[in-house]
Amino acid sequence: MKRRDFLKKAGIGVAASAAFGPVFAQAQPTVRWRLASSFPKSLDTIYGAAEVLAERVSELTGGRFQIRPYQAGELVPGLQVMDAVQQGTVEMGHTASYYYVGKAQVLAFDTAVPFGLTARQQNAWMYHGGGIELFRPIFADFGIIQFPGGNTGVQMGGWFRKEIATVADLKGLKMRIPGPGGQVMSRLGVVPQVIAGGDIYPALER
């Protein structure tokens, strides 16, 4: 969605582009939105993306559009961010769509799938290959407008307490792996767990 259209959706008027900055800053009311994140502040490379977004939007609007990020658990649990946006509990969310494949399996492609695209390929598809446009009607079914919000790249196979030497070693193993990746691993005997990023370490301790 173009910035002009996005700002209109947010309830913010837009002056002629040649005078966007000063007119906007002087004439428009301040809009304040809350952003619920699925990630804790300790995961700075992910949670930090929401902070960068908030700072950038504030700069572009002369401080008239304020976004305040909240880490997972402050407003809603990490795995309930999409629900919170859908229900209007918060105005924005920063999450990973493959957490919500229970709503629609296709949502995984908005994040990652096993043996799928690299970070650069995913961005190329989203921004230049029609990926964003393909997802717009899907998210519209949930009353949401989506934008890519960062890309951490591919993830390794996993971290395990004991060496995995054969496929048989996977049987009965509990593994944190959301989306289609969990479905693949379940066929190898793994018991997949959908756990928000900030809850992984406590789950390992338990």
Side-chain angles (χ1 to χ4, degrees):
M1 179 176 290
K2 295 180 181 178
R3 184 174 67 182
R4 177 181 297 270
D5 296 333
F6 175 62
L7 292 173
K8 285 182 178 179
K9 286 280 187 181
I12 300 174
V14 181
S17 58
F20 177 86
V23 172
F24 186 91
Q26 294 170 16
Q28 302 300 322
T30 299
V31 174
R32 292 183 174 86
W33 280 12
R34 296 178 303 164
L35 181 152
S37 175
S38 285
F39 314 104
K41 290 182 179 179
S42 58
L43 290 179
D44 182 61
T45 54
I46 306 180
Y47 179 82
E51 294 179 312
V52 170
L53 170 70
E55 292 171 6
R56 185 65 174 144
V57 169
S58 180
E59 289 176 5
L60 289 171
T61 60
R64 293 293 181 171
F65 191 169
Q66 297 288 330
I67 298 171
R68 180 179 175 184
Y70 291 84
Q71 67 176 332
E74 281 193 284
L75 296 179
V76 295
L79 298 180
Q80 295 179 22
V81 169
M82 183 173 175
D83 300 275
V85 175
Q86 183 180 3
Q87 295 163 10
T89 304
V90 294
E91 292 82 9
M92 301 178 70
H94 184 221
T95 187
S97 298
Y98 67 176
Y99 289 157
Y100 311 103
V101 293
K103 296 177 179 292
Q105 287 285 331
V106 70
L107 292 176
F109 289 91
D110 189 49
T111 304
V113 295
F115 315 109
L117 304 178
T118 66
R120 296 174 100 181
Q121 290 169 337
Q122 182 83 4
N123 285 340
W125 175 61
M126 281 288 189
Y127 290 105
H128 306 289
I132 294 175
E133 290 74 21
L134 283 171
F135 274 105
R136 281 280 146 82
I138 295 169
F139 278 93
D141 289 341
F142 302 99
I144 292 172
I145 301 172
Q146 100 291 358
F147 299 89
N151 193 325
T152 60
V154 296
Q155 299 179 22
M156 59 191 68
W159 295 270
F160 304 96
R161 292 184 178 277
K162 63 180 183 179
E163 182 180 358
I164 305 297
T166 69
V167 173
D169 293 334
L170 294 171
K171 189 170 181 62
L173 189 73
K174 291 182 179 179
M175 180 179 180
R176 186 268 183 180
I177 179 166
Q183 295 174 348
V184 170
M185 295 304 290
S186 69
R187 296 193 178 194
L188 298 175
V190 169
V191 181
Q193 310 286 302
V194 180
I195 300 173
D199 298 327
I200 295 174
Y201 192 78
L204 281 170
E205 289 185 313
R206 292 193 299 270

